[in-house]
Amino acid sequence: DTNPATLAPLGLLIEEQRTNSIRNNTMQGAVAGTPGTLPTNWSVSGLGTLTQTVVGTGTQNGINYIDVRFNGTTSTTQLTLRFEQTSIIAAANGQSWALSSWVSFVAGSLTNINSPHLATNLFDAGGNYVGEGPSLGFALTGTFTRYTATGAISNASTASIRPYFYILFNSGAAIDITLRIGLPQLEQGAVATSVIPTTTTALTRSADVASITGTNFSSWFNAAAGTLMVQFSLPAQATSTSIVTAGDGTANERMIVNSATNRAGTGWRVVDGGVDQCDINITSSFAANQSVKTIGTYAVNDFAACQNGGAVGTDVTGTLPTVNALYIGTNGVSTYTNAHIQRVSYYPRRLPNSTLQALTS
């Protein structure tokens, strides 16, 4: 994967299965004009005495976008651009959702405009509004940037969710702004993943699979002793996740380099016969999207782990699992990192603790 603005390499992106519930995020059906036609399934409210002009559609850094101008003297206090219709996207209390979109302004100014937001509305089974879901306020600029609103639904009446963008202003104010909106996505999950382009219906991307199996694994793996290192970066997610795993595809036999909840550190976990033999936790927090190096080493009754050249954690009791594959970006069973894997290194011996620190510095 690469940074869409700078094109700098970010690493191998491994993501879980996700669905973009917005049926048309590539601006199908949009027609330029005044007022023009918004993309199919999109709508606007709060225009009042403002003039709407669909300037056109295009791509920037491979991102489909629409440019819409709003100008005149306001007679309302909020302008809302909705990406879906009511009661289309099923949702329920307790679910986590992520709404993301690239947004910028490409003409006019922010004069008299306040509080740009990506937000969601919640509705009950009868289509009645019952509250707001995940929402994010941000400082709108001329740089085409992806913003993400995340959160869990906490309304027991929720039956559906609707994504939108809005701005606020005073009634009677003069405004003139051309907004650029690119590839909005609404997905069930705690963090946003890479965009799934849609045209007429919600679409699902399968989970990414990166693994080494069979003789491609057994030809270099040493069952008696070894060292596994990974360099990675994580988005702003709260849950613990497995970065790289040597295992057999079950929860009973595996060795895992993982990250802690809220990126509070990393760990090295060894499981044999369904029983934890080693669970070393390195409590050294790191920022979202920060590149981190973590290493774990194993031999019978001899385990150690280190993160970013820090103190080495050890465990001197435990047996070793029987493994037959290396799973990158997952635990080999169910969970995925939704992260960038930048490097994986394996050494077929138990390296000294000082070497663990040197390799991860």
Side-chain angles (χ1 to χ4, degrees), residues 256 258 266-270 277-283 295-297 302-306 311-316:
I256 309 170
N258 58 44
T266 57
W268 174 235
R269 183 183 175 205
V270 177
Q277 305 297 315
C278 154
D279 193 2
I280 301 171
N281 297 302
I282 309 296
T283 54
I295 197 166
T297 192
D302 187 9
F303 305 92
C306 181
V312 175
T314 60
D315 188 324
V316 295

Side-chain angles (χ1 to χ4, degrees), residues 179-270:
L179 295 167
R180 175 163 293 180
I181 307 292
L183 290 177
Q185 176 155 300
L186 181 65
E187 55 194 305
Q188 188 179 336
V191 297
T193 62
S194 55
V195 171
I196 304 165
T198 60
T199 57
T200 57
T201 188
L203 291 177
T204 299
R205 179 192 60 240
S206 298
D208 296 318
V209 177
S211 61
I212 304 173
T213 61
T215 56
N216 289 329
F217 174 80
S218 61
S219 62
W220 51 262
F221 183 79
N222 182 6
T227 303
L228 183 61
M229 185 180 81
V230 60
Q231 183 175 354
F232 65 96
S233 65
L234 284 173
Q237 64 185 45
T239 57
S240 174
T241 185
S242 302
I243 309 300
V244 65
T245 302
D248 69 348
T250 74
N252 297 323
E253 305 286 318
R254 53 186 179 174
M255 296 183 283
I256 309 170
V257 174
N258 58 44
S259 69
T261 300
N262 292 319
R263 303 178 313 282
T266 57
W268 174 235
R269 183 183 175 205
V270 177

